[in-house]
Amino acid sequence: MTERAPLSRKLSAIAESATLKVDAKAKALQAAGRPVISYAAGEPDFSTPQFIVDAAIEALHDPANYRYTPAVGLPVLREAIAAKTLRDSGLEVSPSQVVVTNGGKQAVYQAFQAVVNPGDEVLLPAPYWTTYPEAIALADGIPVEVFAGADQEYKVTVEQLEAARTDKTTALVFVSPSNPTGSVYTADETKAIGEWAVEHGIWIISDEIYQNLVYEGVRAVSIVEAVPDAAAQTILVNGVAKTYAMTGWRLGWMVGPADAIKLAANLQSHLSSNVNNVAQRAALAALTGPQTDAEEFRLAFDRRRKLIVSELSKIEGVTVPNPLGAFYAYPDVRGLLGREWRGKRVETSLELADLILDEVEVAVVPGEAFGPSGYLRLSYALGDEALLEGVRRMQELFA
């Protein structure tokens, strides 16, 4: 009997999402009755605003939504996304330059598929969201990490990017505000990076899903607004998940040059076809309806941001750069490593995260999921009381 053919080598090399893995473990412990507090998931704890839910309910009663619709998205939603792109990213695009996707992850995947060829190098500023390197690998590209530490507020410079550039460099990942760090590039920093990319003909994959979650009067300037010439070689990725507490609705999009978007549209026509029509109608309501709920969410995140930074900073050996966007704190915990805590010696942030979960039942994501060891990611998109209790448990552990 002939032995079965092997599984895909490409998929066998892809790791499970570290953030989802930690979150699943935390939820399993919670389901078993353990008082675990989880900072793992990048998911708002708020309910989706009622007017958005009502739009979905109305859509359920329209038989047109029971049928196939254009694979690239409902025309009216693509128009609304184009309007949002002009409003928030300063870029005027045609609705034909928009593809509606099943969440931001599909947009990220398709963006790399559209512009990366086998062996191409993609510059990946670190710390990075755990999905980026895997999505690059799925496009047969090679992620090239460019690390910026807490001393740089986790923001890379043009000089660092230039030092990492080779004749195989074809794309750059640019994320502001950042997941996992919450860092926001200034307008000048964004302009410098955009001009550098244009000078060298490098594609930019710019993830803007947190662009509306900024604090202290900061604005996340889009790279295509800072450098209009960059629009010809930039794909913007976005979605409703974070701003409107719609993670489970799975509604994202990508915007870019017509030729690149055409490739992504062709791929989606075979990969998934149209996104759920009810979710599309809900997203339309989110983008065109009142923004009062979204602003209330942002203000709540801002309050929690200040609280978690203040409390984490009380732990000796922990450095917490001030995050100005998204809903993450990314403390530098190297001062806690190489030491014993409750009889256990920890050398890496992975071991530190395990210790925190085992000893005080708090789930955090180690820096190894996002780049080098020595850091932790904590999402503050959870209730105020739980947020404070979790940090106090850590304060007690490391006292």
Side-chain angles (χ1 to χ4, degrees):
M1 183 176 179
T2 303
E3 185 178 351
R4 189 187 72 173
L7 294 169
S8 165
R9 289 187 295 274
K10 182 187 293 187
L11 296 191
S12 296
I14 298 299
E16 177 184 2
S17 167
T19 53
L20 295 182
K21 183 177 181 179
V22 173
D23 185 54
K25 183 176 181 179
K27 287 177 178 176
L29 291 170
Q30 290 167 343
R34 298 271 293 276
V36 171
I37 293 174
S38 178
Y39 297 94
E43 180 171 42
D45 61 312
F46 309 114
S47 296
T48 301
Q50 188 59 48
F51 78 94
I52 298 174
V53 176
D54 290 342
I57 293 171
E58 182 179 350
L60 285 170
H61 296 289
D62 184 352
N65 293 316
Y66 309 161
R67 307 298 181 189
Y68 291 129
T69 54
V72 291
L74 295 172
V76 66
L77 178 56
R78 297 168 79 196
E79 290 174 5
I81 292 168
K84 176 196 164 39
T85 303
L86 177 60
R87 180 174 67 247
D88 293 341
S89 301
L91 177 66
E92 185 171 1
V93 296
S94 164
S96 65
Q97 293 174 254
V98 177
V99 173
V100 181
T101 60
N102 288 282
K105 280 188 177 180
Q106 184 177 4
V108 168
Y109 170 80
Q110 292 181 172
F112 289 122
Q113 292 289 328
V115 304
V116 175
N117 287 295
D120 284 353
E121 294 178 353
V122 180
L123 298 184
L124 181 60
Y128 49 75
W129 180 42
T130 184
T131 291
Y132 296 135
E134 308 297 357
I136 293 167
L138 285 169
D140 295 318
I142 301 170
V144 177
E145 295 183 24
V146 182
F147 179 72
D151 58 324
Q152 296 179 220
E153 299 180 337
Y154 304 118
K155 296 185 288 186
V156 298
T157 64
V158 167
E159 290 73 23
Q160 288 179 291
L161 294 173
E162 177 60 22
R165 184 178 65 86
T166 73
D167 57 3
K168 294 182 179 179
T169 302
T170 59
L172 163 71
V173 179
F174 184 76
V175 189
S176 178
S178 164
N179 174 8
T181 68
S183 296
V184 181
Y185 285 79
T186 67
D188 287 343
E189 291 166 342
T190 301
K191 181 179 180 182
I193 291 173
E195 289 178 340
W196 171 84
V198 169
E199 178 185 355
H200 297 290
I202 294 171
W203 279 96
I204 304 168
I205 309 300
S206 182
D207 191 337
E208 299 189 334
I209 200 163
Y210 295 98
Q211 72 179 163
N212 298 121
L213 294 175
V214 287
Y215 316 106
E216 299 186 21
V218 166
R219 179 169 177 263
V221 177
S222 176
I223 202 162
V224 293
E225 180 177 356
V227 184
D229 287 346
Q233 58 198 64
T234 300
I235 296 177
L236 305 178
V237 175
N238 212 321
V240 295
K242 314 299 183 177
T243 302
Y244 301 100
M246 295 178 68
T247 52
W249 296 80
R250 309 314 303 140
L251 197 296
W253 59 81
M254 56 194 301
V255 175
D259 52 354
I261 290 300
K262 176 60 176 175
L263 298 186
N266 290 347
L267 171 59
Q268 185 161 312
S269 72
H270 296 289
L271 183 67
S272 63
S273 192
N274 67 275
V275 173
N276 179 294
N277 293 317
V278 174
Q280 290 195 69
R281 291 292 177 182
L284 176 63
L287 294 179
T288 60
Q291 302 299 301
T292 51
D293 292 284
E295 176 61 10
E296 288 178 8
F297 297 164
R298 191 191 68 83
L299 293 174
F301 288 140
D302 192 17
R303 182 180 67 250
R304 297 169 182 180
R305 176 185 67 93
K306 295 172 183 174
L307 177 62
I308 198 169
V309 169
S310 173
E311 294 299 318
L312 284 173
S313 297
K314 294 177 182 178
I315 302 174
E316 186 176 350
V318 174
T319 301
V320 193
N322 185 33
L324 294 176
F327 40 63
Y328 306 103
Y330 202 74
D332 181 334
V333 295
R334 289 175 294 175
L336 300 177
L337 305 181
R339 303 169 63 180
E340 281 195 6
W341 302 102
R342 296 191 180 178
K344 299 178 181 178
R345 186 172 181 84
V346 294
E347 300 291 348
T348 67
S349 51
L350 181 61
E351 293 174 352
L352 189 69
D354 286 339
L355 174 80
I356 294 170
L357 183 57
D358 292 341
E359 293 294 328
V360 296
E361 298 189 304
V362 172
V364 297
V365 186
E368 286 85 345
F370 312 105
S373 179
Y375 306 84
L376 299 175
R377 191 193 80 168
L378 292 85
S379 167
Y380 51 85
L382 69 162
D384 295 54
E385 291 184 13
L387 184 152
L388 185 58
E389 169 63 20
V391 178
R392 286 182 174 167
R393 291 184 194 180
M394 288 188 283
Q395 289 173 341
E396 181 180 351
L397 172 61
F398 299 116

